[in-house]
Amino acid sequence: MQLVDTHVHINFDSFQPDLDDVASAWRQAGVVHLVHSCVEPSEFDGIKAIADRFGEVSFAVGLHPLDMDKWTSDLAMRIRQLALSDSRVVAIGETGLDFFKADDQACQIESFRAQLLVAFELGLPVIIHCRDAAMTMRDVLQAFWQEHGPVKGVMHCWTGTPEETQWFLDLGFYISFSGIVTFKSASQVQASAQMVGCDRILVETDCPFLTPVPKRSQKRNQPANVRHVAEFVAKLRGVPLEVLAAQTTANARELFKLPDASFAIAQ
């Protein structure tokens, strides 16, 4: 059985003392590939070094909506240049909108649209962060489609209602579920996980955040725990874990055009 963790942040300081052990754990759990997200372009070199160290890591480059203090008019060009600099870059992001306690919504929308354009021009998917902003997100994406054309991507760490989920499915997006789906209070997330088609569903950890049940006592989440997310989602959907793993792995390979090498090694 093979799994892909489609959203990690293993460049964070909490992983540096024992990253080799963390890698051993994800391999033992059946995780054959990881997509490393990027909070800001200054992380690029560090993420690239991790991909040099672990061949099963692909990565993205982008600016997170909570980092608008770093947004400048020329940053989109910098993101474009970095994306073109390494063939292991498989996405733009994470980017998106986060309106929770936000007073910079206009700047977030400007940055998001600029990164969408980079993704469109390069033919790369986008990794989208969306918090308390689903309706605006839908409107921005629809307007972009009308002006430029469709962009592929994933609504990562998805927490929306089934109605909101359908908005983004209709736009052609994949939906990725994190450890949040295992939380007792996450009934609407669980309902969304049940409705997504088998060709659009993904799993992730968003580590080091959001440790899933039954590992909630562990302060630091890690890629190996994506297996627990997959197990929970499989039960929700009434399918064997092996079926859910095969579906989500195939979907990750299709969306991110992941290389065959790491999958072959896992055989």
mmCIF file of all heavy atoms in Angstrom, residues 203-226:
data_model
loop_
_atom_site.group_PDB
_atom_site.id
_atom_site.type_symbol
_atom_site.label_atom_id
_atom_site.label_comp_id
_atom_site.label_asym_id
_atom_site.label_seq_id
_atom_site.Cartn_x
_atom_site.Cartn_y
_atom_site.Cartn_z
ATOM 1 N N VAL A 203 -5.218 13.303 0.610
ATOM 2 C CA VAL A 203 -4.979 13.323 2.054
ATOM 3 C C VAL A 203 -3.642 14.003 2.327
ATOM 4 O O VAL A 203 -2.740 13.998 1.489
ATOM 5 C CB VAL A 203 -5.011 11.913 2.673
ATOM 6 C CG1 VAL A 203 -6.422 11.361 2.705
ATOM 7 C CG2 VAL A 203 -4.060 10.967 1.933
ATOM 8 N N GLU A 204 -3.537 14.578 3.516
ATOM 9 C CA GLU A 204 -2.339 15.325 3.894
ATOM 10 C C GLU A 204 -2.229 15.355 5.414
ATOM 11 O O GLU A 204 -3.184 15.009 6.129
ATOM 12 C CB GLU A 204 -2.423 16.756 3.376
ATOM 13 C CG GLU A 204 -3.578 17.550 3.979
ATOM 14 C CD GLU A 204 -3.547 19.017 3.595
ATOM 15 O OE1 GLU A 204 -4.130 19.374 2.546
ATOM 16 O OE2 GLU A 204 -2.962 19.796 4.373
ATOM 17 N N THR A 205 -1.067 15.812 5.895
ATOM 18 C CA THR A 205 -0.930 16.058 7.334
ATOM 19 C C THR A 205 -0.904 17.539 7.659
ATOM 20 O O THR A 205 -1.320 17.941 8.742
ATOM 21 C CB THR A 205 0.363 15.431 7.891
ATOM 22 O OG1 THR A 205 1.493 15.942 7.175
ATOM 23 C CG2 THR A 205 0.312 13.915 7.814
ATOM 24 N N ASP A 206 -0.377 18.379 6.763
ATOM 25 C CA ASP A 206 -0.083 19.786 7.083
ATOM 26 C C ASP A 206 0.850 19.856 8.289
ATOM 27 O O ASP A 206 0.793 20.802 9.081
ATOM 28 C CB ASP A 206 -1.352 20.596 7.342
ATOM 29 C CG ASP A 206 -1.139 22.104 7.215
ATOM 30 O OD1 ASP A 206 -0.082 22.510 6.690
ATOM 31 O OD2 ASP A 206 -2.020 22.869 7.650
ATOM 32 N N CYS A 207 1.691 18.828 8.449
ATOM 33 C CA CYS A 207 2.597 18.790 9.585
ATOM 34 C C CYS A 207 3.575 19.963 9.532
ATOM 35 O O CYS A 207 3.897 20.455 8.445
ATOM 36 C CB CYS A 207 3.349 17.462 9.610
ATOM 37 S SG CYS A 207 4.435 17.186 8.189
ATOM 38 N N PRO A 208 3.949 20.481 10.695
ATOM 39 C CA PRO A 208 3.827 19.881 12.038
ATOM 40 C C PRO A 208 2.527 20.199 12.772
ATOM 41 O O PRO A 208 2.426 19.992 13.986
ATOM 42 C CB PRO A 208 5.006 20.513 12.776
ATOM 43 C CG PRO A 208 5.124 21.877 12.185
ATOM 44 C CD PRO A 208 4.802 21.695 10.723
ATOM 45 N N PHE A 209 1.509 20.672 12.048
ATOM 46 C CA PHE A 209 0.247 21.054 12.670
ATOM 47 C C PHE A 209 -0.784 19.934 12.578
ATOM 48 O O PHE A 209 -0.622 18.986 11.820
ATOM 49 C CB PHE A 209 -0.307 22.316 11.998
ATOM 50 C CG PHE A 209 0.711 23.403 11.811
ATOM 51 C CD1 PHE A 209 1.201 23.716 10.546
ATOM 52 C CD2 PHE A 209 1.211 24.098 12.897
ATOM 53 C CE1 PHE A 209 2.145 24.709 10.373
ATOM 54 C CE2 PHE A 209 2.160 25.100 12.734
ATOM 55 C CZ PHE A 209 2.633 25.407 11.473
ATOM 56 N N LEU A 210 -1.863 20.066 13.367
ATOM 57 C CA LEU A 210 -3.099 19.303 13.190
ATOM 58 C C LEU A 210 -2.914 17.793 13.288
ATOM 59 O O LEU A 210 -3.385 17.029 12.441
ATOM 60 C CB LEU A 210 -3.742 19.665 11.847
ATOM 61 C CG LEU A 210 -4.010 21.167 11.641
ATOM 62 C CD1 LEU A 210 -4.477 21.432 10.217
ATOM 63 C CD2 LEU A 210 -5.015 21.678 12.656
ATOM 64 N N THR A 211 -2.248 17.343 14.318
ATOM 65 C CA THR A 211 -2.057 15.908 14.535
ATOM 66 C C THR A 211 -3.410 15.200 14.605
ATOM 67 O O THR A 211 -4.295 15.619 15.344
ATOM 68 C CB THR A 211 -1.288 15.659 15.839
ATOM 69 O OG1 THR A 211 -0.087 16.429 15.827
ATOM 70 C CG2 THR A 211 -0.948 14.184 15.998
ATOM 71 N N PRO A 212 -3.584 14.133 13.830
ATOM 72 C CA PRO A 212 -4.888 13.452 13.808
ATOM 73 C C PRO A 212 -5.103 12.544 15.008
ATOM 74 O O PRO A 212 -4.156 12.125 15.675
ATOM 75 C CB PRO A 212 -4.806 12.622 12.525
ATOM 76 C CG PRO A 212 -3.347 12.302 12.401
ATOM 77 C CD PRO A 212 -2.625 13.531 12.898
ATOM 78 N N VAL A 213 -6.358 12.241 15.276
ATOM 79 C CA VAL A 213 -6.706 11.137 16.163
ATOM 80 C C VAL A 213 -6.184 9.874 15.479
ATOM 81 O O VAL A 213 -6.345 9.724 14.258
ATOM 82 C CB VAL A 213 -8.237 11.068 16.345
ATOM 83 C CG1 VAL A 213 -8.631 9.859 17.189
ATOM 84 C CG2 VAL A 213 -8.767 12.368 16.958
ATOM 85 N N PRO A 214 -5.514 8.954 16.170
ATOM 86 C CA PRO A 214 -5.384 8.821 17.623
ATOM 87 C C PRO A 214 -4.053 9.321 18.183
ATOM 88 O O PRO A 214 -3.668 8.891 19.264
ATOM 89 C CB PRO A 214 -5.476 7.296 17.792
ATOM 90 C CG PRO A 214 -4.736 6.782 16.581
ATOM 91 C CD PRO A 214 -5.053 7.740 15.457
ATOM 92 N N LYS A 215 -3.370 10.214 17.485
ATOM 93 C CA LYS A 215 -2.055 10.685 17.910
ATOM 94 C C LYS A 215 -2.106 12.105 18.472
ATOM 95 O O LYS A 215 -1.091 12.786 18.523
ATOM 96 C CB LYS A 215 -1.081 10.647 16.723
ATOM 97 C CG LYS A 215 -0.852 9.259 16.137
ATOM 98 C CD LYS A 215 -0.089 8.379 17.108
ATOM 99 C CE LYS A 215 0.262 7.043 16.471
ATOM 100 N NZ LYS A 215 1.074 6.194 17.375
ATOM 101 N N ARG A 216 -3.280 12.540 18.924
ATOM 102 C CA ARG A 216 -3.455 13.927 19.339
ATOM 103 C C ARG A 216 -2.534 14.333 20.484
ATOM 104 O O ARG A 216 -2.238 15.511 20.667
ATOM 105 C CB ARG A 216 -4.907 14.180 19.745
ATOM 106 C CG ARG A 216 -5.887 14.114 18.603
ATOM 107 C CD ARG A 216 -5.726 15.285 17.649
ATOM 108 N NE ARG A 216 -6.172 16.540 18.233
ATOM 109 C CZ ARG A 216 -5.746 17.743 17.890
ATOM 110 N NH1 ARG A 216 -4.812 17.865 16.976
ATOM 111 N NH2 ARG A 216 -6.227 18.832 18.453
ATOM 112 N N SER A 217 -2.079 13.363 21.279
ATOM 113 C CA SER A 217 -1.192 13.684 22.407
ATOM 114 C C SER A 217 0.195 14.106 21.934
ATOM 115 O O SER A 217 0.960 14.698 22.707
ATOM 116 C CB SER A 217 -1.068 12.480 23.346
ATOM 117 O OG SER A 217 -0.506 11.363 22.674
ATOM 118 N N GLN A 218 0.520 13.808 20.674
ATOM 119 C CA GLN A 218 1.813 14.204 20.126
ATOM 120 C C GLN A 218 1.729 15.649 19.636
ATOM 121 O O GLN A 218 0.957 15.969 18.742
ATOM 122 C CB GLN A 218 2.205 13.289 18.959
ATOM 123 C CG GLN A 218 2.400 11.846 19.356
ATOM 124 C CD GLN A 218 2.755 10.959 18.173
ATOM 125 O OE1 GLN A 218 2.865 11.427 17.041
ATOM 126 N NE2 GLN A 218 2.930 9.665 18.430
ATOM 127 N N LYS A 219 2.527 16.521 20.233
ATOM 128 C CA LYS A 219 2.463 17.939 19.891
ATOM 129 C C LYS A 219 2.832 18.191 18.440
ATOM 130 O O LYS A 219 2.232 19.024 17.759
ATOM 131 C CB LYS A 219 3.394 18.734 20.814
ATOM 132 C CG LYS A 219 3.305 20.231 20.627
ATOM 133 C CD LYS A 219 4.168 20.965 21.640
ATOM 134 C CE LYS A 219 4.066 22.475 21.455
ATOM 135 N NZ LYS A 219 4.908 23.211 22.437
ATOM 136 N N ARG A 220 3.810 17.463 17.933
ATOM 137 C CA ARG A 220 4.267 17.645 16.557
ATOM 138 C C ARG A 220 3.677 16.576 15.651
ATOM 139 O O ARG A 220 3.880 15.391 15.854
ATOM 140 C CB ARG A 220 5.803 17.576 16.508
ATOM 141 C CG ARG A 220 6.387 17.832 15.127
ATOM 142 C CD ARG A 220 7.874 17.489 15.073
ATOM 143 N NE ARG A 220 8.125 16.054 15.179
ATOM 144 C CZ ARG A 220 9.323 15.487 15.127
ATOM 145 N NH1 ARG A 220 10.405 16.252 14.987
ATOM 146 N NH2 ARG A 220 9.466 14.180 15.225
ATOM 147 N N ASN A 221 2.957 17.008 14.649
ATOM 148 C CA ASN A 221 2.470 16.076 13.635
ATOM 149 C C ASN A 221 3.621 15.718 12.697
ATOM 150 O O ASN A 221 4.603 16.461 12.587
ATOM 151 C CB ASN A 221 1.334 16.739 12.857
ATOM 152 C CG ASN A 221 0.493 15.754 12.076
ATOM 153 O OD1 ASN A 221 0.665 14.544 12.181
ATOM 154 N ND2 ASN A 221 -0.425 16.274 11.279
ATOM 155 N N GLN A 222 3.511 14.588 11.998
ATOM 156 C CA GLN A 222 4.561 14.167 11.076
ATOM 157 C C GLN A 222 3.950 13.388 9.915
ATOM 158 O O GLN A 222 2.814 12.900 9.998
ATOM 159 C CB GLN A 222 5.600 13.309 11.796
ATOM 160 C CG GLN A 222 5.046 12.012 12.389
ATOM 161 C CD GLN A 222 6.158 11.138 12.953
ATOM 162 O OE1 GLN A 222 7.215 10.984 12.325
ATOM 163 N NE2 GLN A 222 5.937 10.581 14.129
ATOM 164 N N PRO A 223 4.675 13.273 8.787
ATOM 165 C CA PRO A 223 4.102 12.655 7.589
ATOM 166 C C PRO A 223 3.569 11.238 7.792
ATOM 167 O O PRO A 223 2.593 10.857 7.127
ATOM 168 C CB PRO A 223 5.276 12.673 6.603
ATOM 169 C CG PRO A 223 6.080 13.862 7.017
ATOM 170 C CD PRO A 223 6.014 13.869 8.521
ATOM 171 N N ALA A 224 4.177 10.465 8.663
ATOM 172 C CA ALA A 224 3.696 9.099 8.885
ATOM 173 C C ALA A 224 2.232 9.078 9.308
ATOM 174 O O ALA A 224 1.510 8.105 9.046
ATOM 175 C CB ALA A 224 4.551 8.403 9.946
ATOM 176 N N ASN A 225 1.777 10.161 9.934
ATOM 177 C CA ASN A 225 0.401 10.205 10.437
ATOM 178 C C ASN A 225 -0.639 10.383 9.342
ATOM 179 O O ASN A 225 -1.844 10.309 9.621
ATOM 180 C CB ASN A 225 0.257 11.314 11.478
ATOM 181 C CG ASN A 225 0.945 10.986 12.790
ATOM 182 O OD1 ASN A 225 1.140 9.816 13.118
ATOM 183 N ND2 ASN A 225 1.314 12.006 13.537
ATOM 184 N N VAL A 226 -0.206 10.597 8.112
ATOM 185 C CA VAL A 226 -1.189 10.667 7.031
ATOM 186 C C VAL A 226 -1.927 9.336 6.900
ATOM 187 O O VAL A 226 -3.067 9.288 6.408
ATOM 188 C CB VAL A 226 -0.523 11.069 5.698
ATOM 189 C CG1 VAL A 226 0.242 9.915 5.063
ATOM 190 C CG2 VAL A 226 -1.546 11.632 4.723
#
